[in-house]
Amino acid sequence: DIVMTQSPDSLAVSLGERATINCKSSQSVLHSSNNKNYLAWYQQKPGQPPKLLIYWASTRESGVPDRFSGSGSGTDFTFTITSLQAEDVAVYYCQQYYTTPFTFGPGTKVDIK
Amino acid sequence: EVQLVESGGGLVQPGRSLRLSCTTSGFTFGDYAMSWVRQAPGKGLEWVGFIRSKTYGGTTAYAASVEGRFTISRDDSKSIAYLQMNSLKTEDTAVYSCCRVYGGYDYHAFFDYWGQGTLVTVSS
């Protein structure tokens, strides 16, 4: 199984500042046939189901604000909120969909400082 | 508007069975693979399994933790996905959510719509 890790476990950022989350996979999720990274990011607010934000490591889902972005390739990925808003308080998960079993990272909790 | 609504959760004793339903609307159900993801209380997300669309043979895949005990099926005429859970264990206690697999990616699933989930508690 591909094991996903995330760092940090939690972070507190001032409003308007940048939040950065790292995600690492135990093996590459870059598919050589199409040069795509099979990596998604989700946001989960308390009491709500997760919401898809990013897929193919860097493609923003329709309607997602452009302050959310993803980057990276192979085994190392980064998720960034460029200017944290109050409504961004949530737990963020990465997920690999390169192969079954599809696996999620343990999550990173983002709070306001 | 795409909607997914789970039902069938509740309290069940270890070793017993339970069937969850995911009733959907707002999209052509038969065109999409569907998945189940669970979240134990206060924990992270765990993929349970999924069922591909009929276009891709309607085949299934499962996490090792549920393989042989859980079965996912679908009724395209009713736009419903099911999760049959047998031989339940206390560690199966979680909120179970059904998810729509992003269109066309029946072999590499990520999830664009999620239901609110239904709580399954396995306890004696």
Side-chain angles (χ1 to χ4, degrees), chain B residues 93-114:
Chain B
T93 294
V95 172
Y96 285 75
S97 297
C98 72
C99 316
R100 191 181 82 167
V101 173
Y102 195 91
Y105 292 100
D106 286 52
Y107 285 92
H108 302 277
F110 59 99
F111 317 112
D112 58 354
Y113 287 92
W114 298 61

Side-chain angles (χ1 to χ4, degrees), chain A residues 42 44 49 55 95 97-98 102, chain B residues 39 47 102 108-109 111 114-115:
Chain A
Y42 300 86
Q44 187 177 30
Y55 54 94
Q95 179 228 335
Y97 49 98
Y98 182 87
F102 306 122
Chain B
Q39 189 166 29
W47 177 73
Y102 195 91
H108 302 277
F111 317 112
W114 298 61

Side-chain angles (χ1 to χ4, degrees), chain A residues 23-34:
Chain A
C23 172
K24 184 182 286 284
S25 57
S26 61
Q27 63 188 76
S28 177
V29 299
L30 174 63
H31 212 294
S32 57
S33 65
N34 56 12

Side-chain angles (χ1 to χ4, degrees), chain B residues 4 11 15-16 21 23 27 46 55 57 61 73 79 82 96 99 110 112 116 120:
Chain B
L4 297 85
L11 175 63
R16 304 298 291 265
S21 299
T23 303
F27 65 101
E46 181 186 14
T55 300
S73 60
S79 300
Y82 300 99
Y96 285 75
C99 316
F110 59 99
D112 58 354
Q116 285 287 339
V120 173

Side-chain angles (χ1 to χ4, degrees), chain B residues 43-101:
Chain B
K43 302 296 185 182
L45 303 169
E46 181 186 14
W47 177 73
V48 172
F50 78 144
I51 185 165
R52 298 181 178 95
S53 65
K54 291 293 196 302
T55 300
Y56 291 89
T59 53
T60 54
Y62 300 94
S65 58
V66 306
E67 179 87 55
R69 299 189 298 125
F70 289 13
T71 302
I72 297 173
S73 60
R74 62 189 298 152
D75 185 335
D76 289 357
S77 68
K78 295 181 179 178
S79 300
I80 299 176
Y82 300 99
L83 176 63
Q84 177 67 44
M85 304 184 293
N86 298 333
S87 304
L88 281 161
K89 306 175 181 180
T90 55
E91 53 263 41
D92 294 321
T93 294
V95 172
Y96 285 75
S97 297
C98 72
C99 316
R100 191 181 82 167
V101 173

